[in-house]
Amino acid sequence: MTQEPEAPPPPDTGATPSGSPVPPTPRTPPPAAPSAPPGAVPSAPPTPAAEGPRPPGGPTTALRPGRARAVLLLAAFLCAACGLVYELALVALGSYLIGDSVTQASVVLSVMVFAMGVGSLLAKRFTSRAAAAFAVVELLLGLVGGLSVAALYACFVWLDAYRPALVACAFVVGTLIGAEMPLIMALLERLRQQALCRTVADVFAADYVGGLIGGLAFPFLLLPVLGQLAGAIVVGGVNALAGAVVVLWLFRADLGRRPRALLWSGLLATLAVLAVSWSLTGHFEAAARRALYPGAVLHAERSEYQQVTLVASAPPGGPADSGGTPASPSGVVLLLDGTPVLDSADERRLHEAMVHPALAGPRSRVLILGGGDGMALREVLRYPDVTEVTLVEVDPAVTRLAATHPALTALNRHAYDDPRVEVVHADAFGWLRDRARGGGAGGGADAPGYDVALCDLPPPSVDDAAKLYTVEFYGMLGSVLAPDGRIAVRTGALDASAAAGRADLWRITATLEATGLHTTPYRPPAPATAPTPDGTPPDGGTPQGRPADPGIVLAGREPPPLRLPADAPPLRHLDASLPRGGGELGASRPAALPPPATLPHPEGDPHWDG
């Protein structure tokens, strides 16, 4: 049986299975747009979704959006660098003038961070006029930040209102810095729409890199080359140019004729004020020095480490001491970063008291740490059996001044010309560390130890000097001493009101004893003669109102007696009985000494266990 081929399916005729046609599905017409009222202007067709929303007003710049964005981020980078310089300048100035850099940094940074938050909130009101607002902020920041150091210095010198002025200045500068970022982000959003996270990332990257450059430029470029006052003024000019010029160039089409004229006038006025201020910095500093120091300024320089100033303090004509040392041609005061470290009217009494008791014993090799003025060196060299003196001073400017200035060479008897003296310009801590490891100048395991070490260093209240009063420092110092070597350390002020100075004395005593040494704390003798009615002692001693005397701690591997050498040269303020209103402080030793100072705990390690 033959199978017939299957017939193809019938064409689709739109019929139902019963054969009746299927009615077509009616199409729903789109809803008609509502009729506009008579006289209304027809609305524009909607923007296609692919174009995305446009920023209000549209980007109208002198460059294409991509390049304009790069220029704006460069401005953000420069402004961030300038902002960090302002912060560092305020911290550094406070440390120089007041000391206690930890407190100064804490006050400045905390106030500025808080003010930056305030500035960010205030900037929200001006994001609709971001270009003009950003230019105004940068002009104000360049002016206020550029003149901040000079203004604070003036408050310190003439108004005695440094602390409130510092807080006010930090708040104003911080507020202006805080307003920068919201305005920059608003300008970037105008140039090109993108995800908010991308805009934030771009701005933060420019800000952080700018902070890095500003933080490195301040200590390594601005301070050494320009100094604090001129450096801040130059940075203020850069800040004003970076902000205002970018706005006046990129967004000039968005500004009306009058705003453009006002911004140009503000920029020129700001630069003019900063330029005039920069040209007058030398006169300003000289006037401030005259206000601070009644005597003539004999020498002033900014070294790599500090401000070194020598001023006259007394009229010529002082008697020579009994040892034959000629009197200084005039009284002088040596100041480092504004802190007096030497007063010719009183230095001999203090240096005699520190040096000669320590030299009562073997003294062939002597080490002086600090003492760049040469006064302790002068006293050491009065002993002919001293064969070698090593003086370690960090700042070459101090030793150079002491070796060349007539007022100081008259006081130190040209001590630096003595062939027994070797001067090492190094940080005392680093130099001792190299010696303890067997390296450095004169180092090595076979090098003979020093018979005497004199620590004529800045007081421990100076932050940079805190490490020079620690267990680690005295441990290294002990390693370079001869077996019967002795150490003399000058401490803080000891008058009854100077609780911090007395605390320094006993903390240093505890720190020396923590290294296995025995100690004898004492104080210098009082001035030999009572002051005359005008407050000036007739023997050239210290006038009334002088700073309190420091304490001195004598230390050795055996309990060191407080006595003078049998062959001591003629001394002006000491005799065989040694104390004349001074002497040992053993009777006032507290029952429990404070904990010793260590590098991690310069105020005393509460967990010290030896």
Side-chain angles (χ1 to χ4, degrees), residues 6-334:
E6 184 177 353
D12 186 5
T13 60
T16 63
S18 61
S20 60
V22 179
T25 304
R27 296 183 179 180
T28 306
S35 59
V41 178
S43 59
T47 303
E51 294 183 14
R54 290 182 180 176
T60 306
T61 61
L63 297 175
R64 288 181 296 180
R67 293 183 179 180
R69 188 179 185 84
V71 172
L72 189 56
L73 288 174
L74 176 62
F77 160 83
L78 291 174
C79 294
C82 296
L84 191 61
V85 168
Y86 300 143
E87 296 181 32
L88 295 176
L90 296 183
V91 172
L93 183 67
S95 301
Y96 293 155
L97 299 181
I98 307 297
D100 191 4
S101 62
V102 174
T103 299
Q104 300 303 316
S106 299
V107 170
V108 170
L109 296 181
S110 58
V111 171
M112 290 191 76
V113 169
F114 168 75
M116 288 165 65
V118 174
S120 296
L121 292 175
L122 294 176
K124 294 193 301 183
R125 298 172 174 265
F126 304 100
T127 52
S128 60
R129 300 182 297 274
F134 180 69
V136 171
V137 165
E138 297 311 311
L139 290 177
L140 290 175
L141 187 55
L143 187 63
V144 176
L147 299 178
S148 60
V149 174
L152 289 175
Y153 193 34
C155 290
F156 176 81
V157 173
W158 287 287
L159 302 180
D160 195 22
Y162 177 78
R163 293 184 186 275
L166 174 66
V167 173
C169 185
F171 184 84
V172 173
V173 173
T175 301
L176 294 171
I177 292 175
E180 289 177 325
M181 190 170 296
L183 297 176
I184 291 174
M185 292 180 64
L187 292 175
L188 288 174
E189 287 292 312
R190 290 198 57 207
L191 294 175
R192 185 175 67 192
Q193 285 290 309
Q194 64 177 8
L196 178 61
C197 62
R198 291 179 176 271
T199 302
V200 172
D202 290 341
V203 175
F204 277 11
D207 186 77
Y208 294 154
V209 177
L212 170 66
I213 299 303
L216 295 177
F218 180 73
F220 296 115
L221 178 63
L222 295 174
L223 276 184
V225 175
L226 298 174
Q228 279 198 293
L229 271 68
I233 291 172
V234 169
V235 170
V238 173
N239 201 160
L241 284 170
V245 171
V246 166
V247 169
L248 288 168
W249 175 38
L250 286 182
F251 298 96
R252 62 179 180 269
D254 291 353
L255 303 172
R257 180 176 301 176
R258 184 179 180 186
R260 283 202 305 270
L262 291 175
L263 288 179
W264 276 115
S265 300
L267 175 60
L268 295 177
T270 299
L271 295 179
V273 170
L274 294 175
V276 171
S277 301
W278 181 82
S279 67
L280 296 176
T281 52
H283 299 287
F284 176 82
E285 292 176 356
R289 282 194 294 266
R290 288 194 296 269
L292 282 174
Y293 320 127
V297 177
L298 305 177
H299 179 86
E301 70 172 294
R302 177 77 206 176
S303 74
E304 181 182 354
Y305 300 95
Q306 57 203 339
Q307 177 69 34
V308 181
T309 308
L310 183 69
V311 299
S313 64
D321 73 337
S322 58
T325 303
S328 171
S330 66
V332 293
V333 176
L334 177 65

Side-chain angles (χ1 to χ4, degrees), residues 424-435:
V424 179
H425 292 124
D427 171 65
F429 192 98
W431 184 84
L432 280 177
R433 181 169 54 187
D434 291 341
R435 284 293 304 255

